[in-house]
Amino acid sequence: MNTTEQQFYNGLDKKLWNAADRLRASMDAANYKHIVLGLIFLKYVSDAFDERQQELRARFKNDTDDYYLPREDFSSDEEYQQAILDELEQRDYYIEKNVFWVPMQARWDNLKQWAVLPTGADLPWNKPTPDENGKFQPEKMRSVSWLIDNALDAIESANAKLKGVLNRISSYQVGNDTLIGLINSFSDTSFHNPIYNGEQLNLRAKDILGHVYEYFLGEFALAEGKKGGQYFTPKSIVSLIVAMLEPFRGRIYDPAMGSGGFFVQSEKFIEEHGGKVGDVSVYGQEYNPTTWRLAAMNMAIRGIDFDFGKRNADSFLDDQHPDLRADYVMANPPFNIREWWSAKLENDPRWQYGTPPQGNANFGWMQHMLYHLAPTGSMALLLSNGSMSSSTNNEGDIRRALVDADLVECMVALPGQLFTNTQIPACIWLLTKNKQARGNKRTRTGEVLFIDARQLGYMKDRVLRDFTEADTQRVADTFHNWQKGIDYEDQPGFCYSATLADIQKHDYVLTPGRYVGATEAEDDGIPFATKMTELTAQLAEQFRQSAELEMQIKTNLKGLGYEW
């Protein structure tokens, strides 16, 4: 995006986040996020619906359009205008453009208006069904949380794709003032044809709200700390993996998808490189029910067609895509999970390269992903650094089997402090089932690329490191050039192309630092002997100054009556 668009997004992010955060009061971020993200979703579907309505209204009045409604067919202007209003309520017009149908009670302008109605005021749509005693509950009907949940109910009922996806907010017991404040915050922003500093921006409402959704996910993950990392993978890592795999077309699968970050970044990558989002299909699975809903909402906001299974489920024990063979598999599963094993997993066909240890799921995730990888597919997996060298509980034997099967294509060591939820050092495993020449890639049989990226990135604040675009590009370009055999050469301290024999010499340890070596010192033209003489003289002078300072301190202490 250009500078103006970036400035617009930065200002919008801070404005909306600060407004939402001020209203949070003492509520835990883990609960508050469902309220805020649910409202963002309501805002999105309503905006998309309004956008389609405006387009239809113009087409109904355009005499060159197939949708044209001739004025002369009606006896009066009132009848003509009513006919247009009736036509605008035909849901087929919206479904044909993959726009969610939004019932009257879920449209944002109505929600905003009704939220501030006084108790006892009639709502301009059918009242809800009475309770089991045949009575209505006016106080419940007038609560803003009830209005929002009623809107979510209506949207789910009208759109089968969203059934069971939207999280209700009444259970969080948020006051009316807080909810009205959030509604006003999101209302006080133009997501259609935005103008920034007098310049019309070429940004779609879908893109803006998708960006806001992703930004809020990241901020809530930061606020929740370790818990937040369960659903949010830092964008820099997701971007790096997507840039390395280049998922232009085919099936993309993530068995530990969290809020769906890999799918979002894949869509952005495809669009930025001139591809078609419709050329890929996404499949995911997630154990946590609320996170599963966050991911589905994330896809719906962006108009990405998805298959996340019939329900949230454990990828090991309740595989929602048993027959899937994906072209790209990407995942950031929880590191070093201990409580994952079940007796049902004994002799599982997924354990082709050895049964994973019952006390660590790392190689269980890896082999689950390999099982779902197509014969010509590629995959990337984030794991803790221990996976590259551990020899306990069969892990070393599994790693040896993977290398001997020539599945490992590239290993990337990452810098620390990239994650919001853990300080455990991490790495990326890139594997493929086919290293033969294909497309613009050369044959890489028997070769593995090692990249040590631990020195890349910058500290974005006191605790978190991030990659620059140049960092991401450097790693991705190195990998692609190596695959193509063009403009690649080993760089001491950064990358090294190893053979299987090299790896065998290191006893199948895959830590990049063992292979890339140390960075070469720059040659400044000064002979070593001369440089050592100068450095020794400099050190001697520093020792002399240190001794003088020590004597001065002792003298001062003695003057104060203290003997050293």
Side-chain angles (χ1 to χ4, degrees):
M1 64 183 71
N2 61 43
T3 303
T4 303
E5 291 172 346
Q6 185 64 63
Q7 290 173 345
F8 165 76
Y9 275 133
N10 290 341
L12 180 65
D13 291 341
K14 292 177 182 177
K15 171 188 171 183
L16 293 179
W17 175 257
N18 289 339
D21 202 41
R22 280 197 304 272
L23 292 164
R24 180 155 65 101
S26 60
M27 178 172 285
D28 186 80
N31 294 327
Y32 192 58
K33 74 169 179 284
H34 297 298
I35 298 163
V36 172
L37 295 174
L39 282 172
I40 292 175
F41 180 80
L42 272 177
K43 176 65 172 168
Y44 163 71
V45 294
S46 188
D47 277 16
F49 183 86
D50 287 346
E51 197 168 55
R52 177 61 173 159
Q53 273 204 334
Q54 292 172 20
E55 177 192 347
L56 289 169
R57 193 183 298 273
R59 294 184 67 177
F60 292 152
K61 296 181 179 182
N62 183 352
D63 59 7
T64 64
D65 197 289
D66 293 339
Y67 286 3
Y68 177 55
L69 290 176
R71 166 64 183 84
E72 56 270 20
D73 290 351
F74 301 91
S75 59
S76 66
D77 283 338
E78 290 77 9
E79 184 181 341
Y80 177 56
Q81 296 302 329
Q82 186 59 51
I84 289 178
L85 290 176
D86 292 342
E87 203 70 13
L88 287 173
E89 294 298 319
Q90 300 300 312
R91 60 184 297 161
D92 287 348
Y93 287 126
Y94 304 88
I95 304 304
E96 68 183 8
K97 291 295 184 179
N98 294 319
V99 174
F100 290 115
W101 171 256
V102 182
M104 188 70 69
Q105 60 265 48
R107 297 175 193 174
W108 188 264
D109 286 345
N110 291 338
L111 193 64
K112 181 182 178 182
Q113 176 186 345
W114 297 335
V116 295
L117 285 177
T119 301
D122 288 330
L123 297 175
W125 42 274
N126 293 332
K127 292 182 177 180
T129 55
D131 61 21
E132 61 274 11
N133 299 317
K135 297 180 179 180
F136 292 102
Q137 301 178 33
E139 70 282 354
K140 183 178 180 182
M141 291 170 57
R142 292 299 173 265
S143 72
V144 181
S145 61
W146 181 87
L147 282 172
I148 294 171
D149 280 358
N150 190 69
L152 296 170
D153 287 340
I155 289 176
E156 276 200 0
S157 298
N159 300 277
K161 189 71 174 179
L162 298 176
K163 192 68 176 176
V165 165
L166 307 180
N167 199 44
R168 306 305 187 268
I169 71 166
S170 294
S171 60
Y172 298 114
Q173 299 180 341
V174 188
N176 283 354
D177 289 343
T178 296
L179 294 174
I180 292 171
L182 286 171
I183 291 171
N184 289 336
S185 294
F186 291 121
S187 298
D188 187 29
T189 302
S190 174
F191 296 103
H192 292 289
N193 303 317
I195 297 175
Y196 183 75
N197 286 344
E199 180 180 341
Q200 181 76 54
L201 302 182
N202 186 27
L203 295 173
R204 298 174 296 180
K206 180 186 79 167
D207 297 326
I208 298 172
L209 280 159
H211 171 90
V212 170
Y213 191 94
E214 185 178 8
Y215 176 80
F216 271 63
L217 279 172
E219 291 301 304
F220 279 122
L222 283 172
E224 293 180 62
K226 185 174 182 179
K227 186 177 180 181
Q230 296 176 4
Y231 61 82
F232 185 80
T233 302
K235 183 179 177 182
S236 58
I237 300 176
V238 177
S239 298
L240 175 59
I241 286 177
V242 170
M244 295 181 78
L245 284 188
E246 297 186 310
F248 279 115
R249 67 172 47 83
R251 293 152 297 187
I252 303 174
Y253 173 56
D254 184 347
M257 66 183 180
S259 55
F262 282 112
F263 303 133
V264 172
Q265 203 60 41
S266 296
E267 181 207 28
K268 291 180 180 177
F269 177 86
I270 293 168
E271 290 183 340
E272 288 171 0
H273 291 78
K276 297 179 180 177
V277 175
D279 288 342
V280 300
S281 52
V282 301
Y283 301 82
Q285 185 155 346
E286 172 58 41
Y287 177 72
N288 184 292
T290 56
T291 305
W292 184 82
R293 293 189 183 100
L294 288 178
M297 289 165 62
N298 209 358
M299 299 303 102
I301 281 178
R302 291 170 171 80
I304 300 175
D305 194 28
F306 62 93
D307 183 349
F308 291 165
K310 296 179 180 179
R311 57 188 172 273
N312 59 290
D314 185 312
S315 290
F316 294 122
L317 297 175
D318 188 8
D319 192 344
Q320 294 290 294
H321 308 286
D323 300 321
L324 174 66
R325 297 298 179 267
D327 301 288
Y328 303 96
V329 184
M330 298 175 271
N332 171 29
F335 296 165
N336 305 325
I337 291 297
R338 294 182 180 181
E339 304 297 329
W340 74 285
W341 185 260
S342 167
K344 298 177 182 178
L345 297 176
E346 291 284 358
N347 302 315
D348 194 288
R350 289 172 288 186
W351 315 147
Q352 185 177 351
Y353 302 96
T355 302
Q358 297 182 13
N360 193 316
N362 286 346
F363 284 97
W365 284 113
M366 185 176 296
Q367 294 191 81
H368 174 83
M369 292 170 67
L370 279 168
Y371 179 81
H372 283 289
L373 192 63
T376 58
S378 297
M379 60 173 268
L381 172 65
L382 270 164
L383 287 179
S384 65
N385 279 359
S387 63
M388 299 188 289
S389 58
S390 173
S391 298
T392 59
N393 299 321
N394 205 35
E395 288 187 338
D397 293 334
I398 296 175
R399 190 170 55 252
R400 178 190 297 264
L402 293 170
V403 172
D404 287 341
D406 207 13
L407 293 170
V408 182
E409 183 165 33
C410 180
M411 300 295 302
V412 181
L414 296 172
Q417 296 179 270
L418 286 173
F419 296 88
T420 59
N421 62 322
T422 180
Q423 294 304 312
I424 297 175
C427 61
I428 303 174
W429 289 67
L430 289 106
L431 296 90
T432 183
K433 287 188 174 180
N434 187 351
K435 290 185 181 179
Q436 297 298 318
R438 185 161 50 95
N440 60 1
K441 299 175 184 177
R442 65 182 178 86
T443 297
R444 291 99 59 211
T445 305
E447 298 179 34
V448 177
L449 178 64
F450 289 91
I451 298 177
D452 190 342
R454 290 178 297 172
Q455 303 305 313
L456 299 184
Y458 67 99
M459 296 302 296
K460 62 186 297 186
D461 54 38
R462 291 186 302 105
V463 295
L464 279 179
R465 180 178 288 272
D466 202 354
F467 285 141
T468 65
E469 290 186 16
D471 293 329
T472 300
Q473 201 64 48
R474 182 184 179 190
V475 175
D477 285 349
T478 299
F479 178 55
H480 297 149
N481 291 344
W482 173 82
Q483 287 182 314
K484 300 171 187 175
I486 300 173
D487 296 329
Y488 172 82
E489 61 180 26
D490 294 336
Q491 300 176 42
F494 180 66
C495 63
Y496 181 80
S497 180
T499 64
L500 295 187
D502 293 329
I503 296 174
Q504 290 165 1
K505 290 178 184 177
H506 287 281
D507 199 24
Y508 292 88
V509 171
L510 300 180
T511 307
R514 289 204 177 195
Y515 299 87
V516 303
T519 304
E520 289 184 346
E522 289 188 19
D523 184 3
D524 55 9
I526 302 174
F528 177 76
T530 302
K531 187 179 295 185
M532 279 301 295
T533 300
E534 292 176 352
L535 290 173
T536 303
Q538 183 180 348
L539 183 61
E541 174 61 20
Q542 290 172 342
F543 280 150
R544 185 189 65 76
Q545 293 175 3
S546 175
E548 287 182 357
L549 182 59
E550 182 180 345
M551 289 302 296
Q552 185 64 46
I553 292 172
K554 288 180 178 180
T555 300
N556 292 342
L557 286 172
K558 188 174 182 180
L560 294 172
Y562 294 94
E563 289 291 340
W564 185 259

mmCIF file of all heavy atoms in Angstrom, residues 4-5 8-9 12 51 189-205 208:
data_model
loop_
_atom_site.group_PDB
_atom_site.id
_atom_site.type_symbol
_atom_site.label_atom_id
_atom_site.label_comp_id
_atom_site.label_asym_id
_atom_site.label_seq_id
_atom_site.Cartn_x
_atom_site.Cartn_y
_atom_site.Cartn_z
ATOM 1 N N THR A 4 0.001 7.140 1.940
ATOM 2 C CA THR A 4 -1.259 7.726 2.411
ATOM 3 C C THR A 4 -2.182 6.650 2.974
ATOM 4 O O THR A 4 -2.810 6.832 4.030
ATOM 5 C CB THR A 4 -1.965 8.471 1.264
ATOM 6 O OG1 THR A 4 -1.091 9.474 0.741
ATOM 7 C CG2 THR A 4 -3.248 9.126 1.754
ATOM 8 N N GLU A 5 -2.268 5.513 2.276
ATOM 9 C CA GLU A 5 -3.112 4.417 2.760
ATOM 10 C C GLU A 5 -2.594 3.880 4.086
ATOM 11 O O GLU A 5 -3.372 3.572 4.995
ATOM 12 C CB GLU A 5 -3.170 3.309 1.708
ATOM 13 C CG GLU A 5 -3.936 3.699 0.458
ATOM 14 C CD GLU A 5 -3.821 2.671 -0.650
ATOM 15 O OE1 GLU A 5 -2.942 1.780 -0.551
ATOM 16 O OE2 GLU A 5 -4.596 2.765 -1.619
ATOM 17 N N PHE A 8 -3.535 6.272 6.766
ATOM 18 C CA PHE A 8 -4.968 6.131 7.042
ATOM 19 C C PHE A 8 -5.219 4.938 7.959
ATOM 20 O O PHE A 8 -5.939 5.045 8.965
ATOM 21 C CB PHE A 8 -5.737 5.962 5.733
ATOM 22 C CG PHE A 8 -7.150 5.467 5.914
ATOM 23 C CD1 PHE A 8 -8.149 6.318 6.364
ATOM 24 C CD2 PHE A 8 -7.469 4.140 5.643
ATOM 25 C CE1 PHE A 8 -9.459 5.852 6.535
ATOM 26 C CE2 PHE A 8 -8.769 3.677 5.821
ATOM 27 C CZ PHE A 8 -9.757 4.530 6.263
ATOM 28 N N TYR A 9 -4.616 3.798 7.629
ATOM 29 C CA TYR A 9 -4.792 2.596 8.439
ATOM 30 C C TYR A 9 -4.249 2.794 9.853
ATOM 31 O O TYR A 9 -4.881 2.396 10.837
ATOM 32 C CB TYR A 9 -4.100 1.403 7.786
ATOM 33 C CG TYR A 9 -4.939 0.689 6.751
ATOM 34 C CD1 TYR A 9 -4.416 0.343 5.514
ATOM 35 C CD2 TYR A 9 -6.257 0.332 7.019
ATOM 36 C CE1 TYR A 9 -5.180 -0.319 4.563
ATOM 37 C CE2 TYR A 9 -7.027 -0.333 6.081
ATOM 38 C CZ TYR A 9 -6.486 -0.663 4.855
ATOM 39 O OH TYR A 9 -7.246 -1.319 3.928
ATOM 40 N N LEU A 12 -6.619 4.964 11.768
ATOM 41 C CA LEU A 12 -7.864 4.246 12.036
ATOM 42 C C LEU A 12 -7.664 3.215 13.131
ATOM 43 O O LEU A 12 -8.492 3.095 14.052
ATOM 44 C CB LEU A 12 -8.340 3.569 10.745
ATOM 45 C CG LEU A 12 -9.634 2.757 10.836
ATOM 46 C CD1 LEU A 12 -10.816 3.662 11.154
ATOM 47 C CD2 LEU A 12 -9.872 2.001 9.524
ATOM 48 N N GLU A 51 -23.806 -1.608 0.521
ATOM 49 C CA GLU A 51 -23.085 -1.330 -0.718
ATOM 50 C C GLU A 51 -23.802 -1.972 -1.902
ATOM 51 O O GLU A 51 -23.959 -1.356 -2.972
ATOM 52 C CB GLU A 51 -21.656 -1.862 -0.596
ATOM 53 C CG GLU A 51 -20.688 -1.311 -1.621
ATOM 54 C CD GLU A 51 -19.253 -1.657 -1.268
ATOM 55 O OE1 GLU A 51 -18.954 -2.859 -1.087
ATOM 56 O OE2 GLU A 51 -18.431 -0.740 -1.165
ATOM 57 N N THR A 189 -16.980 6.131 11.537
ATOM 58 C CA THR A 189 -15.883 5.864 10.597
ATOM 59 C C THR A 189 -16.484 5.471 9.266
ATOM 60 O O THR A 189 -17.403 4.653 9.217
ATOM 61 C CB THR A 189 -14.983 4.719 11.108
ATOM 62 O OG1 THR A 189 -14.457 5.059 12.388
ATOM 63 C CG2 THR A 189 -13.831 4.471 10.152
ATOM 64 N N SER A 190 -15.975 6.042 8.207
ATOM 65 C CA SER A 190 -16.458 5.695 6.869
ATOM 66 C C SER A 190 -15.622 4.556 6.304
ATOM 67 O O SER A 190 -14.423 4.704 6.096
ATOM 68 C CB SER A 190 -16.377 6.904 5.935
ATOM 69 O OG SER A 190 -16.712 6.516 4.610
ATOM 70 N N PHE A 191 -16.262 3.416 6.092
ATOM 71 C CA PHE A 191 -15.569 2.284 5.497
ATOM 72 C C PHE A 191 -15.812 2.214 3.985
ATOM 73 O O PHE A 191 -15.241 1.383 3.310
ATOM 74 C CB PHE A 191 -16.019 0.985 6.163
ATOM 75 C CG PHE A 191 -15.653 0.905 7.620
ATOM 76 C CD1 PHE A 191 -16.604 1.122 8.597
ATOM 77 C CD2 PHE A 191 -14.353 0.634 8.015
ATOM 78 C CE1 PHE A 191 -16.269 1.050 9.942
ATOM 79 C CE2 PHE A 191 -14.005 0.566 9.355
ATOM 80 C CZ PHE A 191 -14.962 0.774 10.322
ATOM 81 N N HIS A 192 -16.682 3.085 3.494
ATOM 82 C CA HIS A 192 -16.948 3.139 2.058
ATOM 83 C C HIS A 192 -16.280 4.379 1.469
ATOM 84 O O HIS A 192 -16.468 5.486 1.958
ATOM 85 C CB HIS A 192 -18.451 3.215 1.784
ATOM 86 C CG HIS A 192 -19.191 1.972 2.138
ATOM 87 N ND1 HIS A 192 -19.070 0.811 1.416
ATOM 88 C CD2 HIS A 192 -20.053 1.701 3.149
ATOM 89 C CE1 HIS A 192 -19.847 -0.124 1.952
ATOM 90 N NE2 HIS A 192 -20.443 0.395 3.009
ATOM 91 N N ASN A 193 -15.482 4.186 0.434
ATOM 92 C CA ASN A 193 -14.840 5.305 -0.260
ATOM 93 C C ASN A 193 -14.214 6.303 0.726
ATOM 94 O O ASN A 193 -14.567 7.488 0.727
ATOM 95 C CB ASN A 193 -15.861 6.038 -1.143
ATOM 96 C CG ASN A 193 -16.514 5.103 -2.136
ATOM 97 O OD1 ASN A 193 -15.854 4.279 -2.757
ATOM 98 N ND2 ASN A 193 -17.824 5.230 -2.289
ATOM 99 N N PRO A 194 -13.320 5.843 1.588
ATOM 100 C CA PRO A 194 -12.771 6.731 2.622
ATOM 101 C C PRO A 194 -11.921 7.856 2.028
ATOM 102 O O PRO A 194 -11.282 7.698 0.986
ATOM 103 C CB PRO A 194 -11.900 5.782 3.463
ATOM 104 C CG PRO A 194 -11.510 4.697 2.511
ATOM 105 C CD PRO A 194 -12.699 4.506 1.617
ATOM 106 N N ILE A 195 -11.927 8.983 2.711
ATOM 107 C CA ILE A 195 -11.117 10.138 2.327
ATOM 108 C C ILE A 195 -10.147 10.432 3.465
ATOM 109 O O ILE A 195 -10.539 10.474 4.639
ATOM 110 C CB ILE A 195 -11.998 11.368 2.048
ATOM 111 C CG1 ILE A 195 -12.917 11.085 0.850
ATOM 112 C CG2 ILE A 195 -11.146 12.609 1.791
ATOM 113 C CD1 ILE A 195 -13.916 12.206 0.576
ATOM 114 N N TYR A 196 -8.881 10.603 3.125
ATOM 115 C CA TYR A 196 -7.862 10.904 4.136
ATOM 116 C C TYR A 196 -7.068 12.123 3.691
ATOM 117 O O TYR A 196 -6.496 12.130 2.597
ATOM 118 C CB TYR A 196 -6.937 9.699 4.333
ATOM 119 C CG TYR A 196 -5.892 9.902 5.408
ATOM 120 C CD1 TYR A 196 -6.233 9.852 6.755
ATOM 121 C CD2 TYR A 196 -4.561 10.153 5.067
ATOM 122 C CE1 TYR A 196 -5.283 10.039 7.747
ATOM 123 C CE2 TYR A 196 -3.599 10.350 6.053
ATOM 124 C CZ TYR A 196 -3.967 10.288 7.388
ATOM 125 O OH TYR A 196 -3.030 10.486 8.367
ATOM 126 N N ASN A 197 -7.048 13.159 4.533
ATOM 127 C CA ASN A 197 -6.355 14.416 4.210
ATOM 128 C C ASN A 197 -6.771 14.954 2.837
ATOM 129 O O ASN A 197 -5.934 15.413 2.048
ATOM 130 C CB ASN A 197 -4.835 14.225 4.255
ATOM 131 C CG ASN A 197 -4.319 14.105 5.685
ATOM 132 O OD1 ASN A 197 -5.018 14.452 6.637
ATOM 133 N ND2 ASN A 197 -3.105 13.594 5.829
ATOM 134 N N GLY A 198 -8.061 14.844 2.556
ATOM 135 C CA GLY A 198 -8.599 15.366 1.310
ATOM 136 C C GLY A 198 -8.400 14.475 0.103
ATOM 137 O O GLY A 198 -8.836 14.821 -0.993
ATOM 138 N N GLU A 199 -7.768 13.304 0.286
ATOM 139 C CA GLU A 199 -7.502 12.407 -0.841
ATOM 140 C C GLU A 199 -8.436 11.206 -0.799
ATOM 141 O O GLU A 199 -8.580 10.551 0.230
ATOM 142 C CB GLU A 199 -6.043 11.925 -0.798
ATOM 143 C CG GLU A 199 -5.678 10.974 -1.934
ATOM 144 C CD GLU A 199 -4.227 10.510 -1.867
ATOM 145 O OE1 GLU A 199 -3.423 11.187 -1.189
ATOM 146 O OE2 GLU A 199 -3.902 9.473 -2.479
ATOM 147 N N GLN A 200 -9.094 10.926 -1.930
ATOM 148 C CA GLN A 200 -9.960 9.761 -2.032
ATOM 149 C C GLN A 200 -9.097 8.506 -2.112
ATOM 150 O O GLN A 200 -8.219 8.392 -2.976
ATOM 151 C CB GLN A 200 -10.832 9.859 -3.284
ATOM 152 C CG GLN A 200 -11.792 8.693 -3.471
ATOM 153 C CD GLN A 200 -12.989 8.783 -2.542
ATOM 154 O OE1 GLN A 200 -13.679 9.789 -2.524
ATOM 155 N NE2 GLN A 200 -13.218 7.738 -1.774
ATOM 156 N N LEU A 201 -9.323 7.552 -1.217
ATOM 157 C CA LEU A 201 -8.516 6.337 -1.179
ATOM 158 C C LEU A 201 -9.203 5.216 -1.942
ATOM 159 O O LEU A 201 -10.421 5.043 -1.860
ATOM 160 C CB LEU A 201 -8.274 5.903 0.268
ATOM 161 C CG LEU A 201 -7.589 6.925 1.186
ATOM 162 C CD1 LEU A 201 -7.372 6.330 2.569
ATOM 163 C CD2 LEU A 201 -6.266 7.391 0.589
ATOM 164 N N ASN A 202 -8.418 4.450 -2.643
ATOM 165 C CA ASN A 202 -8.938 3.330 -3.422
ATOM 166 C C ASN A 202 -8.925 2.064 -2.565
ATOM 167 O O ASN A 202 -8.194 1.110 -2.821
ATOM 168 C CB ASN A 202 -8.099 3.132 -4.688
ATOM 169 C CG ASN A 202 -8.693 2.075 -5.601
ATOM 170 O OD1 ASN A 202 -9.906 1.851 -5.594
ATOM 171 N ND2 ASN A 202 -7.842 1.412 -6.373
ATOM 172 N N LEU A 203 -9.742 2.074 -1.508
ATOM 173 C CA LEU A 203 -9.803 0.953 -0.579
ATOM 174 C C LEU A 203 -11.242 0.476 -0.464
ATOM 175 O O LEU A 203 -12.162 1.267 -0.339
ATOM 176 C CB LEU A 203 -9.290 1.364 0.813
ATOM 177 C CG LEU A 203 -7.811 1.756 0.916
ATOM 178 C CD1 LEU A 203 -7.515 2.298 2.305
ATOM 179 C CD2 LEU A 203 -6.920 0.560 0.617
ATOM 180 N N ARG A 204 -11.416 -0.849 -0.484
ATOM 181 C CA ARG A 204 -12.744 -1.430 -0.352
ATOM 182 C C ARG A 204 -13.116 -1.558 1.121
ATOM 183 O O ARG A 204 -12.255 -1.771 1.981
ATOM 184 C CB ARG A 204 -12.796 -2.800 -1.018
ATOM 185 C CG ARG A 204 -12.523 -2.774 -2.515
ATOM 186 C CD ARG A 204 -12.447 -4.187 -3.076
ATOM 187 N NE ARG A 204 -11.328 -4.918 -2.507
ATOM 188 C CZ ARG A 204 -11.037 -6.186 -2.820
ATOM 189 N NH1 ARG A 204 -11.791 -6.841 -3.682
ATOM 190 N NH2 ARG A 204 -10.000 -6.785 -2.273
ATOM 191 N N ALA A 205 -14.417 -1.468 1.399
ATOM 192 C CA ALA A 205 -14.882 -1.630 2.782
ATOM 193 C C ALA A 205 -14.449 -2.974 3.334
ATOM 194 O O ALA A 205 -14.063 -3.091 4.505
ATOM 195 C CB ALA A 205 -16.402 -1.488 2.837
ATOM 196 N N ILE A 208 -10.828 -2.753 4.441
ATOM 197 C CA ILE A 208 -10.636 -1.923 5.631
ATOM 198 C C ILE A 208 -11.087 -2.670 6.885
ATOM 199 O O ILE A 208 -10.360 -2.747 7.886
ATOM 200 C CB ILE A 208 -11.393 -0.588 5.505
ATOM 201 C CG1 ILE A 208 -10.857 0.220 4.315
ATOM 202 C CG2 ILE A 208 -11.267 0.225 6.786
ATOM 203 C CD1 ILE A 208 -11.672 1.452 3.992
#
